Amino acid sequence: MDIKKVTLQRITQENELDCINLKPREDQLDLVASNADSLIHATKELTSRPYGIVVEDRMVGFILFDNEIYNDGYYWILRFMIDKKDQGQGYGKLAIQEVIRMLRERSDCQQIRVSHVPHNVVANALYKRCGFQATGEFEDNGDIILSYQVR
C-alpha cells in the first residue's frame, strides 16, 4: 500500500465546511461526535485547537487536541475521525503519530490522553498501535481513558 504524507492543517473559515462535510460510516455515528459539534466544542475549550487531517490537499479527517496543557496536567486528544471514504488507508495512525510528534516538542508534555466509548474496539486498537496504553480509568460518562507516556 502506498501511504501518502499526512499533514494537519488548522481549521479556518476557509476550510470549515470541508471539515463539517466529513462523516463516519453509518454504523459509526454513535462512536464520534459530529464535526460541527466538535468545532463548537473547540470554541469553548480554550486549550484546544481543531485540525483537518489532509492528504494531497484533500481533507480526509478531523482531530481536535490540546495546544496547551489542560488543567488536569495532561494534553488530550479530544475528538478524532476519518471520513468514511478514507478509512483503512493508514491516515488515522499517521495523524495520531503527527499529534504525538507535535506535542512531544513541548517541554511540559509528560503524557497525552485520549478516551473513547467502550464498544469502539477499532479506536482502541488504533490508539494501542500508536503506543497508547489503558490507564484503568474511565471518564464520568464511562469512556475508556488511554495514555501515551511522552517522558
Side-chain angles (χ1 to χ4, degrees), residues 72-83:
D72 63 3
Y74 306 113
Y75 282 83
W76 283 86
I77 297 173
L78 302 158
R79 306 283 171 89
F80 168 66
M81 66 83 67
I82 299 292
D83 187 76

Side-chain angles (χ1 to χ4, degrees), residues 45-125:
E45 195 68 57
L46 300 178
T47 61
S48 68
R49 297 284 178 277
Y51 290 85
I53 300 167
V54 177
V55 176
E56 294 182 342
D57 298 325
R58 188 173 62 85
M59 196 177 298
V60 300
F62 170 76
I63 194 159
L64 173 68
F65 62 95
D66 284 330
N67 197 43
E68 300 169 28
I69 200 162
Y70 192 67
N71 59 17
D72 63 3
Y74 306 113
Y75 282 83
W76 283 86
I77 297 173
L78 302 158
R79 306 283 171 89
F80 168 66
M81 66 83 67
I82 299 292
D83 187 76
K84 60 187 171 195
K85 298 183 306 293
D86 295 295
Q87 293 180 15
Q89 307 292 314
Y91 301 147
K93 183 178 181 185
L94 291 171
I96 298 286
Q97 290 171 333
E98 180 62 11
V99 170
I100 292 169
R101 186 196 65 73
M102 290 169 72
L103 293 178
R104 184 185 296 266
E105 293 175 358
R106 298 175 173 274
S107 59
D108 64 348
C109 183
Q110 305 291 313
Q111 190 180 117
I112 303 166
R113 288 191 156 204
V114 66
S115 66
H116 64 81
V117 296
H119 61 281
N120 193 346
V121 294
V122 173
N124 186 276

